[in-house]
Amino acid sequence: MSSTSDHPTRPTMRAVSPRAWGTPDVLVPVEVDRPEPGLTEILVKVHAAGVNPVDWKTRAAGAFGTWGDTPILGYDVSGTVEAVGPGVTLFAPGDEVFGMPRFPEQAGGYAEYVTAPARRFAPKPAAVDHVQAAALPLAALTAWQGLIETAGLRAGQRVLIHAAAGGVGHLAVQIAKAHGAYVIGTARADKHDFLRKLGADELIDYTTTDFAEAVRDVDVVLDGVGGEYGPRSLPVLRRGGHLVTLPDPGGLPDAARAEALGVHTGWTVVEPDRHGMLEIARLVEEGKLRAAIDKVLPLESAAEAHAYGERGRTQGKIVLQVV
């Protein structure tokens, strides 16, 4: 006969999980088993977790990713390496890291610990704290991959960034400026001072001005809105220009019309990317990139964070403070 001591209890951790798919109030605090790092993985003690629109869209619809018995949302994390699995050479316990591991599978960032492949993380920039670092990965990688890798943005080019004050948009403004571009942004008038401080050269209040009438000869459009914004952006682009659509491929303009205008169009989804994370960290260390933090809430207030984000008026990012 075995005793209880023959089967030691696994360590547990705090987390937040949806008890069903639906409104923000389905998110509740839970206690679950702490994960263990597998081959090439690290265990990260999460200090802060970023909150992104894909989080509340997932919570509402139950889409994106596979789930265990207790689903845990959250892609963006910043924290400290607690343990390393077999084969890990990049990091050691005590290292500070940040990243967007596993996307589009869930990283489970709304928790005290996450495990993921080591090469999905990068060293946290020493110039910022964990809250700042947790606000960066998904949104900054989206902007980096869309502007630099997909559109090939170069110094001296003109870029139009829709929803410029949002989570992706305000980071895209800074990344574009760091690469020597002339930046035009669409945003409500009360966001213009904020965006000017980030380096935006020209701003359009979309509530009073039709950007399609106000802008011409743009090399790149980064569309973080979707819907009609993609088709309406075609006339502002010069021949050979790039329209990069982020929210939904349904927002892409008619291919024949785009071809007739000589414009490249495409829908892109962010991917985990250590190279991109290292470039983002470099810009942070050089003082060229910083996330604006709209609101910081404790982990247990994830439901409040989602409700706040869904109002669509955030200026920058929402972050959950875990420890």
Side-chain angles (χ1 to χ4, degrees), residues 122-205:
K124 182 187 76 67
V128 296
D129 61 17
H130 286 290
V131 168
Q132 272 282 328
L136 286 166
L138 190 148
L141 276 178
T142 299
W144 175 271
Q145 291 171 6
L147 289 174
I148 308 306
E149 296 183 342
T150 300
L153 184 67
R154 303 185 305 275
Q157 290 190 322
R158 289 162 54 84
V159 58
L160 171 62
I161 299 171
H162 291 307
V168 172
H170 86 287
L171 297 172
V173 168
Q174 297 173 72
I175 289 170
K177 289 304 297 182
H179 283 76
Y182 181 91
V183 176
I184 307 164
T186 61
R188 290 176 175 269
D190 61 355
K191 312 289 189 185
H192 287 192
D193 285 346
F194 162 67
L195 289 166
R196 287 191 187 96
K197 291 175 182 176
L198 297 182
D201 299 287
E202 189 176 331
L203 294 162
I204 298 168
D205 181 356

Side-chain angles (χ1 to χ4, degrees), residues 13-14 34-38 40-49 75-85 88 91-102 107-124 130 133-134 322-323:
M13 66 178 184
R14 293 180 301 121
R34 194 180 83 179
E36 295 296 329
T40 76
E41 291 186 339
I42 59 175
L43 173 69
V44 176
K45 183 177 180 63
V46 180
H47 295 291
Y75 295 107
D76 285 341
V77 296
S78 181
T80 305
V81 176
E82 185 84 359
V84 301
V88 173
F91 300 113
D95 289 345
E96 294 188 320
V97 297
F98 75 138
M100 183 200 73
R102 298 195 187 279
Y110 294 8
E112 286 185 292
Y113 294 90
V114 300
T115 56
R119 291 181 184 274
R120 296 290 179 89
F121 294 92
K124 182 187 76 67
H130 286 290
V322 181
V323 292

